[in-house]
Amino acid sequence: AKMMKADMQLMQTVAEETIRRVHEFNGQHLMNLAWACAKLKFLHIKLLMAIAEAARHMLDDFTPQHLSILAWSFATLGFRHLPLMEAIAEEVMSTVRAFRPQNVANT
């Protein structure tokens, strides 16, 4: 079943807990959170800042798919975090040969 409307109290609680524990998350967790926010149109600045800062320091652990979905998620939300986008661009330039066509298109 699809959730048609985000439960804002639930989303706020998840956001606050994520911010508190973001250091425990790996790249896939961060990408999944960013994707969920984008799909739900949940623009929570403090949460996105926490995801961006954590992700920026572990991008070498991200797969090409994770990089492309993370970039897509932030772009979809209209959230600009220049240090993260620059770090993603640098990581993509150094690993682009490992990207499948879909990853290239999404990034």
Side-chain angles (χ1 to χ4, degrees), residues 9 12 16 18 21 23 36 39-41 44 54 57 68-70 79 83 88-91 95 99 105:
Q9 184 177 3
Q12 185 66 32
E16 290 168 7
T18 298
R21 297 175 49 188
H23 63 278
K39 290 298 282 184
L40 293 172
K41 297 176 177 61
H44 189 287
H57 297 291
S68 63
I69 291 172
L70 185 63
F79 181 74
I88 288 175
E90 187 176 314
E91 186 67 23
T95 61
F99 278 43

PDB file of all heavy atoms in Angstrom, residues 9 12 16 18 21 23 36 39-41 44 54 57 68-70 79 83 88-91 95 99 105:
ATOM      1  N   GLN A   9       3.736  14.300  11.941  1.00  0.00           N
ATOM      2  CA  GLN A   9       4.278  14.040  13.274  1.00  0.00           C
ATOM      3  C   GLN A   9       5.286  12.895  13.206  1.00  0.00           C
ATOM      4  O   GLN A   9       6.360  12.969  13.807  1.00  0.00           O
ATOM      5  CB  GLN A   9       3.166  13.721  14.268  1.00  0.00           C
ATOM      6  CG  GLN A   9       3.676  13.539  15.683  1.00  0.00           C
ATOM      7  CD  GLN A   9       2.543  13.302  16.684  1.00  0.00           C
ATOM      8  OE1 GLN A   9       1.375  13.212  16.329  1.00  0.00           O
ATOM      9  NE2 GLN A   9       2.913  13.215  17.948  1.00  0.00           N
ATOM     10  N   GLN A  12       8.445  14.175  11.453  1.00  0.00           N
ATOM     11  CA  GLN A  12       9.207  15.049  12.345  1.00  0.00           C
ATOM     12  C   GLN A  12       9.986  14.222  13.363  1.00  0.00           C
ATOM     13  O   GLN A  12      11.150  14.489  13.638  1.00  0.00           O
ATOM     14  CB  GLN A  12       8.278  16.041  13.051  1.00  0.00           C
ATOM     15  CG  GLN A  12       8.986  17.052  13.897  1.00  0.00           C
ATOM     16  CD  GLN A  12       9.852  18.006  13.091  1.00  0.00           C
ATOM     17  OE1 GLN A  12       9.547  18.346  11.958  1.00  0.00           O
ATOM     18  NE2 GLN A  12      10.956  18.419  13.684  1.00  0.00           N
ATOM     19  N   GLU A  16      14.069  14.089  13.665  1.00  0.00           N
ATOM     20  CA  GLU A  16      14.796  14.431  14.892  1.00  0.00           C
ATOM     21  C   GLU A  16      15.705  13.288  15.344  1.00  0.00           C
ATOM     22  O   GLU A  16      16.849  13.515  15.757  1.00  0.00           O
ATOM     23  CB  GLU A  16      13.810  14.808  15.997  1.00  0.00           C
ATOM     24  CG  GLU A  16      13.121  16.138  15.736  1.00  0.00           C
ATOM     25  CD  GLU A  16      11.943  16.401  16.663  1.00  0.00           C
ATOM     26  OE1 GLU A  16      11.716  15.614  17.608  1.00  0.00           O
ATOM     27  OE2 GLU A  16      11.236  17.407  16.431  1.00  0.00           O
ATOM     28  N   THR A  18      16.942  10.913  13.425  1.00  0.00           N
ATOM     29  CA  THR A  18      18.012  10.782  12.428  1.00  0.00           C
ATOM     30  C   THR A  18      19.105  11.809  12.680  1.00  0.00           C
ATOM     31  O   THR A  18      20.291  11.481  12.634  1.00  0.00           O
ATOM     32  CB  THR A  18      17.444  10.945  11.010  1.00  0.00           C
ATOM     33  OG1 THR A  18      16.496   9.906  10.777  1.00  0.00           O
ATOM     34  CG2 THR A  18      18.552  10.869   9.971  1.00  0.00           C
ATOM     35  N   ARG A  21      21.241  10.730  15.501  1.00  0.00           N
ATOM     36  CA  ARG A  21      22.030   9.506  15.328  1.00  0.00           C
ATOM     37  C   ARG A  21      22.677   9.373  13.948  1.00  0.00           C
ATOM     38  O   ARG A  21      23.112   8.286  13.581  1.00  0.00           O
ATOM     39  CB  ARG A  21      21.127   8.301  15.569  1.00  0.00           C
ATOM     40  CG  ARG A  21      20.588   8.264  16.979  1.00  0.00           C
ATOM     41  CD  ARG A  21      19.610   7.155  17.210  1.00  0.00           C
ATOM     42  NE  ARG A  21      20.125   5.884  16.733  1.00  0.00           N
ATOM     43  CZ  ARG A  21      19.401   4.771  16.672  1.00  0.00           C
ATOM     44  NH1 ARG A  21      18.150   4.770  17.054  1.00  0.00           N
ATOM     45  NH2 ARG A  21      19.931   3.657  16.241  1.00  0.00           N
ATOM     46  N   HIS A  23      25.434   9.873  12.724  1.00  0.00           N
ATOM     47  CA  HIS A  23      26.783   9.288  12.696  1.00  0.00           C
ATOM     48  C   HIS A  23      26.750   7.759  12.648  1.00  0.00           C
ATOM     49  O   HIS A  23      27.750   7.124  12.327  1.00  0.00           O
ATOM     50  CB  HIS A  23      27.590   9.773  13.908  1.00  0.00           C
ATOM     51  CG  HIS A  23      27.007   9.336  15.214  1.00  0.00           C
ATOM     52  ND1 HIS A  23      25.958  10.013  15.810  1.00  0.00           N
ATOM     53  CD2 HIS A  23      27.296   8.295  16.017  1.00  0.00           C
ATOM     54  CE1 HIS A  23      25.641   9.389  16.939  1.00  0.00           C
ATOM     55  NE2 HIS A  23      26.433   8.343  17.092  1.00  0.00           N
ATOM     56  N   ALA A  36      13.468   9.008   0.450  1.00  0.00           N
ATOM     57  CA  ALA A  36      12.152   9.032   1.089  1.00  0.00           C
ATOM     58  C   ALA A  36      11.656  10.468   1.257  1.00  0.00           C
ATOM     59  O   ALA A  36      10.480  10.761   1.002  1.00  0.00           O
ATOM     60  CB  ALA A  36      12.204   8.318   2.436  1.00  0.00           C
ATOM     61  N   LYS A  39      10.530  11.658  -2.191  1.00  0.00           N
ATOM     62  CA  LYS A  39       9.269  11.038  -2.614  1.00  0.00           C
ATOM     63  C   LYS A  39       8.081  11.610  -1.848  1.00  0.00           C
ATOM     64  O   LYS A  39       6.996  11.757  -2.397  1.00  0.00           O
ATOM     65  CB  LYS A  39       9.327   9.523  -2.441  1.00  0.00           C
ATOM     66  CG  LYS A  39      10.254   8.820  -3.406  1.00  0.00           C
ATOM     67  CD  LYS A  39       9.844   8.990  -4.853  1.00  0.00           C
ATOM     68  CE  LYS A  39       8.695   8.083  -5.205  1.00  0.00           C
ATOM     69  NZ  LYS A  39       8.318   8.145  -6.625  1.00  0.00           N
ATOM     70  N   LEU A  40       8.295  11.929  -0.568  1.00  0.00           N
ATOM     71  CA  LEU A  40       7.219  12.474   0.262  1.00  0.00           C
ATOM     72  C   LEU A  40       7.155  14.003   0.229  1.00  0.00           C
ATOM     73  O   LEU A  40       6.307  14.599   0.890  1.00  0.00           O
ATOM     74  CB  LEU A  40       7.380  11.999   1.711  1.00  0.00           C
ATOM     75  CG  LEU A  40       7.189  10.512   1.931  1.00  0.00           C
ATOM     76  CD1 LEU A  40       7.569  10.129   3.359  1.00  0.00           C
ATOM     77  CD2 LEU A  40       5.750  10.100   1.639  1.00  0.00           C
ATOM     78  N   LYS A  41       8.083  14.611  -0.513  1.00  0.00           N
ATOM     79  CA  LYS A  41       8.172  16.082  -0.576  1.00  0.00           C
ATOM     80  C   LYS A  41       8.315  16.677   0.830  1.00  0.00           C
ATOM     81  O   LYS A  41       7.713  17.685   1.173  1.00  0.00           O
ATOM     82  CB  LYS A  41       6.970  16.666  -1.310  1.00  0.00           C
ATOM     83  CG  LYS A  41       6.882  16.223  -2.758  1.00  0.00           C
ATOM     84  CD  LYS A  41       5.631  16.733  -3.413  1.00  0.00           C
ATOM     85  CE  LYS A  41       5.531  16.393  -4.869  1.00  0.00           C
ATOM     86  NZ  LYS A  41       5.509  14.998  -5.226  1.00  0.00           N
ATOM     87  N   HIS A  44      12.885  19.129   5.114  1.00  0.00           N
ATOM     88  CA  HIS A  44      13.264  19.400   6.506  1.00  0.00           C
ATOM     89  C   HIS A  44      14.739  19.812   6.467  1.00  0.00           C
ATOM     90  O   HIS A  44      15.622  18.969   6.327  1.00  0.00           O
ATOM     91  CB  HIS A  44      13.051  18.142   7.344  1.00  0.00           C
ATOM     92  CG  HIS A  44      13.206  18.353   8.812  1.00  0.00           C
ATOM     93  ND1 HIS A  44      14.445  18.543   9.410  1.00  0.00           N
ATOM     94  CD2 HIS A  44      12.282  18.398   9.803  1.00  0.00           C
ATOM     95  CE1 HIS A  44      14.264  18.688  10.704  1.00  0.00           C
ATOM     96  NE2 HIS A  44      12.962  18.605  10.969  1.00  0.00           N
ATOM     97  N   ALA A  54      26.945  14.258   6.630  1.00  0.00           N
ATOM     98  CA  ALA A  54      27.398  12.883   6.868  1.00  0.00           C
ATOM     99  C   ALA A  54      27.804  12.220   5.557  1.00  0.00           C
ATOM    100  O   ALA A  54      28.851  11.572   5.474  1.00  0.00           O
ATOM    101  CB  ALA A  54      26.301  12.082   7.563  1.00  0.00           C
ATOM    102  N   HIS A  57      31.240  13.086   3.834  1.00  0.00           N
ATOM    103  CA  HIS A  57      32.461  12.521   4.403  1.00  0.00           C
ATOM    104  C   HIS A  57      32.606  11.025   4.162  1.00  0.00           C
ATOM    105  O   HIS A  57      33.588  10.433   4.618  1.00  0.00           O
ATOM    106  CB  HIS A  57      32.529  12.841   5.899  1.00  0.00           C
ATOM    107  CG  HIS A  57      32.603  14.310   6.159  1.00  0.00           C
ATOM    108  ND1 HIS A  57      33.708  15.063   5.834  1.00  0.00           N
ATOM    109  CD2 HIS A  57      31.686  15.175   6.656  1.00  0.00           C
ATOM    110  CE1 HIS A  57      33.480  16.327   6.153  1.00  0.00           C
ATOM    111  NE2 HIS A  57      32.261  16.423   6.638  1.00  0.00           N
ATOM    112  N   SER A  68      23.848   8.673  -7.532  1.00  0.00           N
ATOM    113  CA  SER A  68      22.854   9.256  -8.430  1.00  0.00           C
ATOM    114  C   SER A  68      21.529   9.495  -7.707  1.00  0.00           C
ATOM    115  O   SER A  68      20.891  10.537  -7.896  1.00  0.00           O
ATOM    116  CB  SER A  68      22.656   8.398  -9.679  1.00  0.00           C
ATOM    117  OG  SER A  68      22.153   7.127  -9.366  1.00  0.00           O
ATOM    118  N   ILE A  69      21.119   8.587  -6.851  1.00  0.00           N
ATOM    119  CA  ILE A  69      19.860   8.767  -6.116  1.00  0.00           C
ATOM    120  C   ILE A  69      19.981   9.890  -5.091  1.00  0.00           C
ATOM    121  O   ILE A  69      19.038  10.676  -4.905  1.00  0.00           O
ATOM    122  CB  ILE A  69      19.407   7.448  -5.463  1.00  0.00           C
ATOM    123  CG1 ILE A  69      18.984   6.462  -6.562  1.00  0.00           C
ATOM    124  CG2 ILE A  69      18.270   7.679  -4.473  1.00  0.00           C
ATOM    125  CD1 ILE A  69      18.706   5.065  -6.059  1.00  0.00           C
ATOM    126  N   LEU A  70      21.122   9.997  -4.445  1.00  0.00           N
ATOM    127  CA  LEU A  70      21.323  11.087  -3.487  1.00  0.00           C
ATOM    128  C   LEU A  70      21.236  12.436  -4.199  1.00  0.00           C
ATOM    129  O   LEU A  70      20.533  13.348  -3.742  1.00  0.00           O
ATOM    130  CB  LEU A  70      22.673  10.934  -2.780  1.00  0.00           C
ATOM    131  CG  LEU A  70      22.966  11.929  -1.661  1.00  0.00           C
ATOM    132  CD1 LEU A  70      21.983  11.780  -0.506  1.00  0.00           C
ATOM    133  CD2 LEU A  70      24.392  11.730  -1.163  1.00  0.00           C
ATOM    134  N   PHE A  79      16.796  21.393  -2.750  1.00  0.00           N
ATOM    135  CA  PHE A  79      17.696  21.692  -1.637  1.00  0.00           C
ATOM    136  C   PHE A  79      19.125  21.731  -2.156  1.00  0.00           C
ATOM    137  O   PHE A  79      19.636  20.733  -2.641  1.00  0.00           O
ATOM    138  CB  PHE A  79      17.556  20.636  -0.540  1.00  0.00           C
ATOM    139  CG  PHE A  79      18.433  20.900   0.654  1.00  0.00           C
ATOM    140  CD1 PHE A  79      18.119  21.903   1.545  1.00  0.00           C
ATOM    141  CD2 PHE A  79      19.567  20.147   0.870  1.00  0.00           C
ATOM    142  CE1 PHE A  79      18.926  22.154   2.649  1.00  0.00           C
ATOM    143  CE2 PHE A  79      20.386  20.390   1.966  1.00  0.00           C
ATOM    144  CZ  PHE A  79      20.056  21.392   2.851  1.00  0.00           C
ATOM    145  N   PRO A  83      28.643  22.114  -0.967  1.00  0.00           N
ATOM    146  CA  PRO A  83      29.762  21.217  -0.646  1.00  0.00           C
ATOM    147  C   PRO A  83      29.458  19.749  -0.991  1.00  0.00           C
ATOM    148  O   PRO A  83      30.332  19.035  -1.484  1.00  0.00           O
ATOM    149  CB  PRO A  83      29.973  21.406   0.854  1.00  0.00           C
ATOM    150  CG  PRO A  83      29.450  22.777   1.140  1.00  0.00           C
ATOM    151  CD  PRO A  83      28.280  22.934   0.205  1.00  0.00           C
ATOM    152  N   ILE A  88      30.055  15.143  -4.656  1.00  0.00           N
ATOM    153  CA  ILE A  88      29.465  14.126  -5.533  1.00  0.00           C
ATOM    154  C   ILE A  88      30.075  14.238  -6.923  1.00  0.00           C
ATOM    155  O   ILE A  88      30.445  13.228  -7.534  1.00  0.00           O
ATOM    156  CB  ILE A  88      27.927  14.248  -5.578  1.00  0.00           C
ATOM    157  CG1 ILE A  88      27.318  13.787  -4.254  1.00  0.00           C
ATOM    158  CG2 ILE A  88      27.358  13.435  -6.738  1.00  0.00           C
ATOM    159  CD1 ILE A  88      25.813  13.992  -4.152  1.00  0.00           C
ATOM    160  N   ALA A  89      30.193  15.457  -7.435  1.00  0.00           N
ATOM    161  CA  ALA A  89      30.775  15.650  -8.768  1.00  0.00           C
ATOM    162  C   ALA A  89      32.197  15.104  -8.823  1.00  0.00           C
ATOM    163  O   ALA A  89      32.582  14.429  -9.789  1.00  0.00           O
ATOM    164  CB  ALA A  89      30.749  17.131  -9.146  1.00  0.00           C
ATOM    165  N   GLU A  90      32.971  15.373  -7.794  1.00  0.00           N
ATOM    166  CA  GLU A  90      34.351  14.875  -7.746  1.00  0.00           C
ATOM    167  C   GLU A  90      34.377  13.349  -7.705  1.00  0.00           C
ATOM    168  O   GLU A  90      35.158  12.713  -8.411  1.00  0.00           O
ATOM    169  CB  GLU A  90      35.060  15.446  -6.520  1.00  0.00           C
ATOM    170  CG  GLU A  90      36.532  15.120  -6.459  1.00  0.00           C
ATOM    171  CD  GLU A  90      37.197  15.794  -5.271  1.00  0.00           C
ATOM    172  OE1 GLU A  90      36.957  16.995  -5.055  1.00  0.00           O
ATOM    173  OE2 GLU A  90      37.949  15.094  -4.566  1.00  0.00           O
ATOM    174  N   GLU A  91      33.503  12.764  -6.904  1.00  0.00           N
ATOM    175  CA  GLU A  91      33.432  11.300  -6.807  1.00  0.00           C
ATOM    176  C   GLU A  91      32.987  10.688  -8.130  1.00  0.00           C
ATOM    177  O   GLU A  91      33.535   9.686  -8.579  1.00  0.00           O
ATOM    178  CB  GLU A  91      32.476  10.886  -5.680  1.00  0.00           C
ATOM    179  CG  GLU A  91      32.448   9.410  -5.401  1.00  0.00           C
ATOM    180  CD  GLU A  91      33.734   8.855  -4.824  1.00  0.00           C
ATOM    181  OE1 GLU A  91      34.529   9.605  -4.221  1.00  0.00           O
ATOM    182  OE2 GLU A  91      33.947   7.643  -4.982  1.00  0.00           O
ATOM    183  N   THR A  95      34.952   8.001 -10.645  1.00  0.00           N
ATOM    184  CA  THR A  95      34.404   6.641 -10.728  1.00  0.00           C
ATOM    185  C   THR A  95      33.423   6.445 -11.874  1.00  0.00           C
ATOM    186  O   THR A  95      32.785   5.397 -11.954  1.00  0.00           O
ATOM    187  CB  THR A  95      33.672   6.282  -9.409  1.00  0.00           C
ATOM    188  OG1 THR A  95      32.591   7.191  -9.211  1.00  0.00           O
ATOM    189  CG2 THR A  95      34.605   6.291  -8.220  1.00  0.00           C
ATOM    190  N   PHE A  99      29.865   3.467 -13.663  1.00  0.00           N
ATOM    191  CA  PHE A  99      28.442   3.791 -13.727  1.00  0.00           C
ATOM    192  C   PHE A  99      27.751   3.054 -14.871  1.00  0.00           C
ATOM    193  O   PHE A  99      28.287   2.946 -15.966  1.00  0.00           O
ATOM    194  CB  PHE A  99      28.250   5.301 -13.946  1.00  0.00           C
ATOM    195  CG  PHE A  99      28.342   6.126 -12.706  1.00  0.00           C
ATOM    196  CD1 PHE A  99      29.320   5.897 -11.756  1.00  0.00           C
ATOM    197  CD2 PHE A  99      27.465   7.163 -12.505  1.00  0.00           C
ATOM    198  CE1 PHE A  99      29.408   6.678 -10.621  1.00  0.00           C
ATOM    199  CE2 PHE A  99      27.543   7.958 -11.372  1.00  0.00           C
ATOM    200  CZ  PHE A  99      28.504   7.708 -10.432  1.00  0.00           C
ATOM    201  N   ALA A 105      22.677   8.877 -16.346  1.00  0.00           N
ATOM    202  CA  ALA A 105      21.520   9.706 -16.662  1.00  0.00           C
ATOM    203  C   ALA A 105      20.931  10.358 -15.424  1.00  0.00           C
ATOM    204  O   ALA A 105      20.508  11.510 -15.455  1.00  0.00           O
ATOM    205  CB  ALA A 105      20.461   8.866 -17.367  1.00  0.00           C
TER     206      ALA A 105
END
